[in-house]
């Protein structure tokens, strides 16, 4: 279910007129707020270059773009991660100032689509005033305005609307992570990204994405997510959100409640799967009933009451930092226990987020391009009638559920063939998940390289998951063709490994 | 030059172009019958539910007294078979005697007596080669007999309709186009085949030829029908020189195909090994694409040597290269049918075995069930089921293994919290591992109800409140209008006519 979410490289600005029913005092306040706000909003010019996952040895052509940012305390500029991802050159510009100042990314959080930039030239900060954040998120129907530099003109722009909804939704920058979002009906257009959403003169969100198919639906990153990010980087490093890594069944069903020993007054949810890369991995077990978290009672649908609102349990996790602990009260095999779980899950190679600011990994042998499975590859295969789709989708989607990841650091795929006589019969194996090369189990991309160094009786033998047939190449011919192919396709690097 | 061209044009214009002869010239025209079939099928999602009956039309040919040969696809799931004589409006009753999906052939018994129909056995042709001509007999839209001229375009092994394996087929080019399945094709007075696929816009049609019909008819004379055999292995062409060298084949040789896997329980599983290279079968050399030269039909895929020349119970001799050494092997041939698969295609569209308890609808996974999700079924059923179907379909670990899925949840208080789990694989019920729907029905019977189910990779058993289950089941059956809690009960009811309430 890929929603047509667009990321918007632009920011909104203040609304100059106010509805007729608004009183005179609120008009004055609004204008004051707008003036203050303008002093803290900047345009960000970016030259970026995305990686080419189809031809991972090169990057795609550079392109220019712009977004919005806001000055916050500490002479830092807050914007969206997607505004400055894969950036090669960044400049910031104040309203009415012809000079552009060079900026650098200090911190970037791809999972929450936020970034902090720094500007070396002190002159830049002359006459600027950091924006201030509101103490709490606004309520539905509160008037908000968006300041920024969207398409349609050069100078600062302001649009206004109300808070339509506070919800949990996917952040399309990573494509995978879900956090709180604030939906507004103020126009948010390309260029608005990274700009502030103001309520009553103070920032309540960062404009970041829109819904392509809808009308007047724009999304902002609300305060709790911004706070989390700024707090996370306060120790000089961005860690990201910890994951508990628990799938559960709601605790409504009386049959299930009885089977798992829940008392009539107990409310909670029943764990059915533990993510091997989550924080709960060595603590919780399938069949455990989670009754409370950090002292908040968990309802049968998994909700908790937080600050007077009923919210899903994941919202509490939104407040947690890497390394913090949560306290769970658990019903396990008929007895009630409390446990503390430290939140510091390892990086998960089987969660396929969009990747930025990294050169893609690959290894080329005799014109066969091997690479770890990544989101870009899955996306390409999804839109084509390529062979071995079913194997690739099953392995990537069910890696952790059906335990396909065991003994593996990542899945390696033969993602492309650079045609040459030596690999003329390789097409039926494209997009196959490599299981063995020359009898060696492939746990990560580097194993492919190691295994090709040890051919068996003059042959390279490549096996794939779910494919009976094997791909074969004669060692002498393929080794000879290897450099020939690289040269003829103009590839300077045979491989790139991250480590 | 100018003169020459003019002459050419004139000559062409003078060639008489006769489309068709009057069908009644052919003495076998009397053997042609029009058949209309009313069929019904059951819903794959709610197996007790009937789908709208459908009507199909085709032809049949009288092969012996009161016996009509037609196609399996025409009579599939038939509830009523009506037979009309061309040019007559009278409807005669027919009964399906036998239908074989592998060959797409079926026999119908004519139940009504009609004095005017031929009573002798129809003779079968003994040759029809490439580029030779034959006559197809059918009716036009006024129900008059029409004869089409046909030429053999291609003779090849092909998978017809929903067969598990390929059989011998002919492709004909006809004028006018063939308008339905089951139309007989004659060479002189002998039956050369019956048509199976036709496209109105296209003059090409596929035909099941006389060698297949001959064996089919002979087989039917000695019940039970044993069907066409299979060796039971998956093979690959051997065109990659690197692979040929790896397997030890000589450099300038172009023989042999590679065995990739064998199907459990098949004759091939006993005799063949993975990576065997099949060089010849019963003395005929098999080339690297899998073809051999057949005396009668020319270049043909080797599978004809197995199911075209041999019957179930017989065996074939193969010369294979195993570990670079030649070996002579004997492969016993057995009938293979769809129901031996882990995920059968299940084209029958009969009622599938099911149980609906606690509102959970459990059934076995089949090709028909998956494809009923629509053109984008792979996306709709999710990557796991798509993968199972595409890679594991034919190979159960043990004979009789099937995949049991949760085909749906009929919402009720008993299944609150379980209502979004459709299309998951079920591995256990009542905490016992299951291999197929029979296990489910047996375990439920043994322990008096479906008390819990476990989905693949789920760490918990989805339990149903034992105190409320029975009540919930009768509530669900009556509110969702389900005739019986499981297929066994439904079959008993149908046998005893309990369903028809006064």
């Amino acid at each position: 279910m890929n929603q047509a979410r667009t990321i918007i490289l632009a920011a909104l600005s203040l609304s100059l007129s106010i509805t007729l029913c608004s009183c005179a005092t609120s008009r004055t306040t609004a204008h004051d707020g707008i003036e203050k706000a303008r002093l803290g909003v900047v345009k960000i010019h970016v030259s970026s270059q995305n990686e080419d996952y189809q031809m991972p040895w090169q990057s795609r052509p550079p392109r220019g773009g712009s977004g919005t940012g806001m000055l916050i305390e500490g002479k830092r500029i807050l914007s969206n991660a997607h505004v400055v991802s894969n950036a090669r050159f960044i400049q910031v510009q104040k309203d009415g100032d012809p000079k552009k100042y060079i900026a650098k990314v200090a911190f970037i959080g791809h999972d929450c689509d936020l970034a902090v930039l720094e500007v070396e030239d002190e002159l830049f900060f002359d006459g600027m005033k950091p924006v201030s954040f509101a103490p709490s998120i606004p309520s539905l129907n509160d008037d908000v305005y968006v300041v920024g530099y969207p398409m349609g003109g050069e100078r600062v722009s302001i649009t206004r609307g109300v808070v339509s909804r506070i919800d949990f939704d996917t952040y399309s920058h990573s494509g995978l992570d879900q956090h709180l979002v604030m939906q507004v009906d103020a126009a948010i257009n390309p260029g608005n990204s990274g700009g502030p959403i103001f309520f009553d003169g103070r920032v309540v969100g960062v404009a970041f994405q829109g819904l392509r198919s809808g009308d007047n639906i724009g999304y902002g990153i609300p305060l709790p997510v911004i706070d989390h990010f700024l707090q996370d980087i306060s120790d000089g490093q961005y860690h990201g959100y910890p994951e508990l890594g628990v799938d559960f069944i709601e605790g409504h069903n009386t049959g299930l409640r009885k089977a798992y020993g829940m008392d009539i007054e107990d409310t909670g949810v029943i764990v059915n799967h533990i993510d091997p890369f989550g924080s709960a991995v060595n603590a919780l077990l399938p069949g455990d009933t989670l009754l409370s978290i950090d002292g908040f009672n968990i309802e049968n649908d998994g909700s908790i009451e937080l600050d007077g609102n009923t919210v899903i349990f994941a919202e509490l996790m939104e407040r947690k930092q890497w390394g913090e602990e949560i306290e769970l009260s658990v019903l396990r095999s008929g007895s009630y226990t409390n446990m503390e779980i430290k939140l510091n899950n390892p990086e998960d190679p089987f969660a396929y987020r969009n990747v930025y600011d990294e050169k893609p990994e690959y290894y080329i042998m005799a014109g066969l391009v091997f690479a770890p499975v990544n989101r870009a590859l899955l996306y390409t295969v999804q839109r084509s009638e390529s062979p071995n789709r079913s194997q690739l989708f099953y392995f990537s989607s069910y890696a952790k559920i059906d335990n396909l990841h065991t003994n593996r650091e990542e899945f390696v795929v033969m993602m492309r063939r650079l045609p040459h006589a030596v690999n003329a019969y390789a097409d039926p194996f494209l997009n196959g998940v490599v299981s063995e090369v020359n009898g060696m189990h492939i746990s990560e991309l580097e194993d492919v390289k190691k295994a090709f160094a040890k051919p068996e009786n003059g042959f390279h033998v490549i096996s794939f998951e779910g494919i009976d047939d094997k791909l074969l190449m004669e060692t002498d011919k393929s080794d000879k063709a290897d450099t020939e192919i690289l040269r003829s396709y103009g590839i300077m690097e045979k491989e790139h490994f991250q480590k | 030059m100018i003169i020459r061209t003019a002459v050419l044009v004139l000559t062409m214009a003078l060639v008489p172009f006769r489309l068709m002869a009057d069908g009644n010239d052919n003495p076998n025209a009397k053997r042609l019958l029009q058949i209309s079939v009313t069929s019904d099928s059951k819903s794959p999602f709610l197996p007790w539910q009937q789908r709208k009956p459908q009507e199909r039309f085709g032809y049949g040919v009288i092969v012996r007294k009161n016996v009509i040969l037609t196609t399996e696809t025409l009579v599939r799931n038939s509830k009523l078979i009506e037979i009309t004589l061309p040019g007559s409006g009278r409807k005669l009753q027919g009964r399906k005697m036998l239908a074989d999906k592998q060959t797409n052939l079926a026999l119908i018994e004519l139940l009504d007596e009609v004095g005017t129909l031929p009573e002798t056995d129809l003779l079968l042709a003994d040759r029809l080669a490439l580029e030779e001509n034959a006559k197809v007999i059918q009716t036009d839209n006024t129900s008059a007999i029409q004869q089409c001229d046909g030429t053999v375009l291609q003779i090849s092994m092909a998978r017809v309709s929903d067969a598990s394996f390929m059989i011998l087929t002919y492709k004909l080019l006809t004028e006018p186009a063939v308008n339905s399945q089951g139309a007989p094709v004659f060479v002189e007075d002998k039956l050369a085949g019956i048509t199976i696929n036709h496209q109105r816009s296209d003059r090409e049609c596929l035909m099941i030829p006389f060698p297949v019909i001959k064996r089919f008819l002979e087989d039917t004379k000695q019940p039970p029908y044993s069907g066409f055999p299979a060796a039971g292995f998956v093979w690959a062409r051997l065109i990659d020189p690197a692979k040929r060298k790896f397997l030890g084949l000589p450099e300038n040789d172009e023989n042999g195909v590679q065995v990739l896997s064998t199907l459990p329980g098949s004759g091939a599983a006993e005799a063949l090994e993975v990576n065997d290279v099949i060089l010849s079968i019963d003395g005929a050399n098999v080339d690297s694409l899998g073809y051999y030269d057949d005396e009668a039909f020319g270049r043909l895929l080797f599978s004809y040597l197995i199911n075209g020349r041999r019957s179930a119970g017989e065996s074939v001799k193969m010369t294979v290269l195993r570990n670079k050494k030649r070996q002579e092997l004997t492969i016993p041939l057995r009938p293979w049918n769809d129901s031996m698969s882990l995920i059968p295609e299940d084209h029958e569209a009969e009622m599938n075995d099911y149980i609906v308890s606690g509102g959970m609808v459990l059934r076995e996974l089949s090709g028909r069930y998956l494809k009923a999700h629509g053109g984008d079924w792979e996306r709709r059923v999710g990557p796991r089921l798509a993968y199972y179907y595409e890679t594991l379909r034919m190979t159960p670990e043990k004979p009789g293994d099937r995949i049991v899925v949760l085909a749906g949840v009929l919402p009720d208080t008993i299944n609150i919290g379980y209502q979004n789990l459709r299309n998951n694989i079920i591995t256990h019920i009542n905490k016992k591992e299951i291999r197929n729907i029979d296990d489910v029905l047996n375990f439920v019977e043994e322990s008096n109800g479906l008390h819990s189910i476990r989905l693949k990779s789920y760490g918990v058993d989805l339990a149903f409140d034992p105190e409320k289950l029975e009540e919930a089941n009768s509530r669900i059956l009556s509110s969702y209008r389900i005739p019986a809690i499981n297929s066994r009960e439904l079959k008993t009811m149908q046998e005893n006519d309990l369903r028809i309430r006064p």
Side-chain angles (χ1 to χ4, degrees):
Chain A
M1 287 288 285
N2 286 325
Q3 290 227 22
R5 284 265 142 80
T6 54
I7 277 185
I8 285 163
L9 282 171
L12 318 180
S13 63
L14 28 149
S15 57
L16 292 168
S17 67
I18 281 164
T19 47
L20 288 173
C21 61
S22 298
C23 61
T25 45
S26 82
R27 180 174 304 193
T28 325
T29 317
H31 276 283
D32 285 353
I34 287 161
E35 275 317 306
K36 265 190 261 165
R38 286 181 65 165
L39 299 176
V41 180
V42 297
K43 184 172 186 175
I44 303 176
H45 301 269
V46 185
S47 168
S48 65
Q49 195 172 18
N50 290 343
E51 298 305 337
D52 186 345
Y53 280 89
Q54 300 209 45
M55 296 197 276
W57 50 89
Q58 63 177 22
S59 299
R60 303 176 78 144
R63 54 176 197 188
S66 72
T68 307
M70 65 192 94
L71 186 69
I72 57 172
E73 290 300 334
K75 293 191 172 171
R76 298 174 299 173
I77 295 162
L78 179 68
S79 184
N80 281 140
H82 74 258
V83 170
V84 293
S85 288
N86 295 328
R88 298 288 192 250
F89 187 63
I90 307 169
Q91 289 171 305
V92 290
Q93 189 177 19
K94 296 182 278 186
D95 189 35
D97 183 349
K99 187 169 158 58
K100 292 175 186 168
Y101 295 80
I102 292 171
K104 291 218 157 54
V105 176
F107 299 98
I108 191 158
H110 294 297
D111 59 346
C112 62
D113 200 0
L114 289 171
V116 160
L117 313 184
E118 285 172 355
V119 180
E120 224 167 79
D121 193 339
E122 285 289 331
L123 278 177
F124 171 74
F125 299 100
D126 278 0
M128 286 204 77
K129 198 168 183 294
V131 296
S132 55
F133 290 103
S136 62
I137 57 173
S139 306
L140 296 192
N141 207 25
D142 276 348
D143 287 315
V144 291
Y145 51 94
V146 185
V147 187
Y149 293 88
M151 61 195 292
E154 284 303 309
R155 307 191 61 186
V156 75
S157 130
I158 296 164
T159 55
R160 71 182 299 275
V162 295
V163 176
S164 312
R165 170 154 64 186
I166 306 277
D167 207 346
F168 232 69
D169 213 335
T170 305
Y171 278 36
S172 57
H173 178 60
S174 86
L176 200 65
D177 298 277
Q178 290 210 333
H179 300 294
L180 282 176
V181 294
M182 180 170 69
Q183 184 191 319
V184 297
D185 69 346
I188 294 184
N189 283 301
N192 271 130
S193 276
I197 301 174
F198 287 102
F199 167 62
D200 203 15
R202 286 193 281 191
V203 174
V204 291
V206 176
F208 83 123
Q209 63 189 24
L211 198 59
R212 199 180 285 159
S213 53
D215 283 337
N216 303 329
I217 294 178
Y219 292 96
I221 299 171
L223 278 178
V225 182
I226 302 170
D227 285 346
H228 186 276
F229 175 72
L230 295 177
Q231 200 187 331
D232 188 330
I233 61 174
S234 60
D235 63 354
Q237 196 191 347
Y238 182 67
H239 303 83
Y241 282 81
E243 300 279 344
L244 189 55
V246 169
D247 262 1
F248 57 79
I249 308 179
E250 296 184 359
H252 294 294
N253 192 288
T254 53
L256 191 70
R257 295 174 63 86
K258 283 179 188 171
Y260 287 89
M262 283 173 79
D263 204 74
I264 200 115
E265 292 98 45
D266 286 340
T267 61
V269 294
I270 294 155
V271 175
N272 75 52
H273 185 259
I274 313 270
D275 186 332
F277 293 88
S279 301
V281 71
N282 291 317
L284 291 175
L285 295 173
D288 284 352
T289 305
L290 307 184
L291 303 169
S292 76
I293 179 165
D294 278 357
F296 297 103
N297 191 45
I298 301 175
E299 293 301 325
N300 284 332
D301 65 351
S303 65
I304 53 174
E305 201 184 298
L306 205 58
D307 307 334
N309 295 313
T310 301
V311 296
I312 60 172
F313 158 30
E315 216 160 295
L316 184 75
M317 291 301 297
E318 286 275 285
R319 304 180 172 193
K320 294 292 176 184
Q321 292 289 350
W322 191 270
E324 278 183 48
E325 285 184 347
I326 56 160
E327 201 183 302
L328 287 170
S329 134
V330 175
L331 170 62
R332 175 181 293 175
S333 324
S335 50
Y336 296 85
T337 49
N338 287 319
M339 58 178 81
E340 284 180 353
I341 294 178
K342 193 158 192 195
L343 301 169
N344 53 356
N345 45 300
E347 198 174 309
D348 180 356
F350 301 97
Y352 300 108
R353 295 179 162 86
N354 291 318
V355 174
Y356 304 93
D357 301 317
E358 271 178 27
K359 253 171 93 176
E361 290 187 281
Y362 67 93
Y363 176 74
I364 305 175
M365 176 63 192
L368 304 176
V369 185
F370 297 89
V373 172
N374 56 63
R375 195 178 181 83
L377 174 77
L378 293 174
Y379 192 59
T380 311
V381 174
Q382 194 169 31
R383 291 178 304 168
S384 63
E385 279 301 317
S386 45
N388 308 312
R389 281 161 53 112
S390 68
Q391 287 94 329
L392 181 60
F393 286 143
Y394 175 58
F395 273 76
S396 55
S397 327
Y398 280 82
K400 295 184 286 180
I401 300 168
D402 285 358
N403 273 328
L404 308 169
H405 74 286
T406 322
N407 299 326
R408 279 186 155 117
E409 299 295 321
E410 63 195 4
F411 290 129
V412 177
V413 168
M414 191 178 93
M415 48 91 67
R416 176 171 279 272
R417 173 173 87 94
L418 303 166
H420 180 275
V422 78
N423 55 36
Y425 301 93
D427 279 350
F429 302 94
L430 280 177
N431 298 320
V433 176
V434 183
S435 56
E436 280 185 5
V437 173
N438 295 334
M440 184 174 154
H441 170 72
I442 301 303
S443 157
E444 56 185 328
L445 183 64
E446 278 190 272
D447 292 342
V448 176
K449 182 183 180 179
K450 287 179 202 155
F452 270 121
K454 294 175 199 159
E456 288 178 330
N457 309 319
F459 289 93
H460 292 303
V461 184
I462 310 164
S463 315
F464 300 87
E465 292 291 351
I467 306 176
D468 286 330
D469 208 356
K470 292 181 192 336
L471 177 56
L472 283 148
M473 287 188 299
E474 286 180 70
T475 317
D476 50 351
K477 285 188 185 156
S478 56
D479 290 358
K480 185 166 159 276
D482 194 40
T483 34
E484 211 174 286
I485 293 170
L486 294 177
R487 195 176 303 127
S488 75
Y489 285 91
I491 299 166
M492 305 306 287
E493 291 171 295
K494 179 180 162 69
E495 62 187 48
H496 174 73
F497 297 107
Q498 210 75 318
K499 293 153 202 166
Chain B
M1 281 303 278
I2 291 166
I3 295 166
R4 246 188 179 181
T5 315
V7 172
L8 238 172
V9 171
L10 276 176
T11 320
M12 285 174 67
L14 288 172
V15 174
F17 194 44
R18 204 165 162 240
L19 279 184
M20 61 192 116
D22 179 0
N24 288 312
D25 289 354
N26 193 317
N28 284 315
K30 286 200 191 87
R31 292 182 180 265
L32 180 73
L33 298 170
Q34 294 166 312
I35 299 171
S36 85
V37 173
T38 309
S39 67
D40 80 350
S41 57
K42 293 288 198 294
S43 156
F45 303 120
L46 307 170
W48 56 89
Q49 199 110 354
Q50 203 116 349
R51 291 183 150 183
K52 223 191 257 173
Q54 287 186 330
E55 219 170 345
R56 284 194 294 263
F57 302 93
Y59 299 108
V61 59
I62 298 173
V63 287
R64 49 181 190 255
K65 190 184 175 188
N66 291 339
V67 176
I68 302 160
L69 176 71
T70 186
T71 63
E72 183 273 333
T73 39
L74 180 63
V75 299
R76 189 181 291 177
N77 304 313
S78 56
K79 292 292 155 218
L80 178 70
I81 299 179
E82 291 170 316
I83 296 155
T84 325
L85 273 54
S88 147
R90 188 175 160 206
K91 288 183 172 175
L92 310 170
Q93 298 299 302
R95 180 184 69 86
K96 179 161 75 179
M97 295 167 67
L98 185 99
D100 179 16
K101 266 193 277 296
Q102 176 58 39
T103 55
N104 197 6
L105 294 174
L107 289 182
I108 298 172
E109 185 188 4
L110 185 62
L111 298 174
D112 293 320
E113 281 294 329
V114 186
T116 56
L117 291 176
E119 299 190 347
T120 53
D121 284 7
L122 175 60
L123 295 175
L124 291 179
D126 42 29
R127 65 158 282 138
L128 177 59
L130 268 180
E131 293 177 24
E132 288 187 346
N133 297 318
K135 307 264 184 214
V136 186
I137 298 192
Q138 60 181 11
T139 57
D140 66 13
N141 55 5
T142 67
S143 196
I145 287 181
Q146 184 183 58
Q147 186 167 296
C148 325
D149 288 320
T151 311
V152 181
L153 278 184
Q154 191 185 60
I155 301 174
S156 65
M157 297 297 286
R159 193 171 306 206
V160 298
S161 62
D162 302 313
S164 306
F165 299 98
M166 293 192 271
I167 54 152
L168 186 70
T169 60
Y170 275 50
K171 191 186 278 175
L172 298 182
L173 183 70
T174 66
E175 180 64 46
V178 171
N179 58 24
S180 199
Q181 58 183 322
V185 184
F186 290 99
V187 175
E188 288 158 0
D189 295 344
K190 294 173 179 170
L191 184 69
I194 64 169
T195 63
I196 48 167
N197 287 353
H198 69 281
Q199 278 175 330
R200 272 171 190 277
S201 55
D202 190 344
R203 288 163 56 211
E204 286 180 15
C205 79
L206 267 191
M207 162 185 116
I208 300 293
F210 56 94
V212 178
I213 295 175
K214 194 172 194 169
R215 295 193 45 203
F216 171 77
L217 291 176
E218 271 164 21
D219 198 344
T220 59
K221 283 178 187 157
Q222 294 158 334
Y225 179 75
S226 55
F228 281 54
F233 62 93
V234 181
W235 59 279
R237 308 190 295 179
L238 265 182
I239 46 175
D240 181 354
K243 193 187 257 178
R244 296 185 64 83
K245 195 170 171 187
F246 180 80
L247 294 168
L249 287 156
E251 210 155 305
N252 295 317
D253 180 281
E254 289 193 344
N255 263 8
V257 293
Q258 182 192 8
V259 176
L260 287 184
S261 63
T262 57
L263 306 184
S266 69
E270 288 168 20
L272 289 175
E273 286 178 12
V274 173
N275 283 343
D276 280 355
V277 179
I278 299 171
L279 299 169
S280 75
I281 300 176
D282 283 343
N285 283 339
V286 176
D287 73 17
S288 58
L289 296 173
Y291 290 90
Y292 77 102
D293 269 319
D294 189 274
E295 287 165 17
F297 309 112
R299 184 172 176 263
L300 208 56
L301 214 55
F302 73 84
S303 50
Y304 187 71
L305 292 165
I306 296 169
N307 69 23
R309 291 276 180 80
R310 302 283 175 191
S311 303
E314 296 181 354
S315 58
V316 287
K317 294 219 178 314
M318 287 189 186
T319 307
V320 304
L321 195 69
R322 177 179 298 170
N323 300 325
K324 303 184 182 175
K325 289 191 198 88
R326 285 173 95 92
Q327 289 199 8
E328 303 295 323
L329 303 174
T330 303
I331 321 288
L333 303 180
R334 293 178 191 143
W336 173 275
N337 64 61
D338 185 42
S339 66
M340 292 155 89
S341 303
L342 178 69
I343 305 172
E345 292 296 345
D346 181 35
H347 295 290
E348 223 35 82
E350 293 292 342
M351 180 179 71
N352 296 107
D353 280 334
Y354 73 89
I355 178 167
V356 46
S357 177
M360 316 295 265
V361 184
L362 278 63
R363 56 155 293 157
E364 284 173 356
L365 193 60
S366 72
R368 188 172 79 93
Y369 171 82
L370 291 170
K371 285 162 194 171
H373 287 80
D376 57 346
W377 66 269
E378 284 168 295
R379 192 179 59 76
R380 285 172 183 267
V381 302
R384 191 201 259 152
L385 293 190
Y387 173 80
Y388 271 59
Y389 179 73
E390 261 151 46
T391 66
L392 309 171
R393 171 172 76 221
M394 303 267 279
T395 49
E397 236 167 73
K398 278 182 264 159
D401 280 1
R402 292 284 172 79
I403 291 167
V404 178
V405 287
L406 182 60
V409 183
L410 305 170
D412 183 88
T413 47
I414 192 86
N415 55 39
I416 281 178
Y418 307 159
Q419 289 162 5
N420 300 320
L421 299 170
R422 200 168 164 248
N423 279 337
N424 262 298
I425 295 174
I426 296 168
T427 58
H428 296 70
I429 70 144
N430 298 350
K431 305 207 172 179
K432 284 203 269 190
E433 197 171 349
I434 52 161
R435 293 173 53 223
N436 49 40
I437 192 78
D438 270 341
D439 279 358
V440 177
L441 295 173
N442 291 339
F443 296 165
V444 166
E445 211 171 289
E446 279 165 26
S447 45
N448 258 324
L450 180 63
H451 305 298
S452 72
I453 65 175
R454 182 178 286 203
L455 306 177
K456 184 174 167 64
S457 300
Y458 262 57
V460 300
D461 289 288
L462 306 178
F464 302 93
D465 193 338
E467 285 159 34
K468 293 177 183 158
L469 182 61
E470 210 165 314
E471 186 197 324
N473 277 344
S474 50
R475 181 173 60 231
I476 290 167
L477 292 193
S478 82
S479 66
Y480 286 96
R481 300 182 71 182
I482 305 166
I485 191 163
N486 63 44
S487 47
R488 283 182 188 167
E489 241 172 67
L490 185 54
K491 279 175 196 156
T492 318
M493 283 167 68
Q494 282 167 342
E495 278 157 23
N496 300 329
D497 284 341
L498 289 177
R499 228 177 142 193
I500 300 151
R501 297 183 188 117

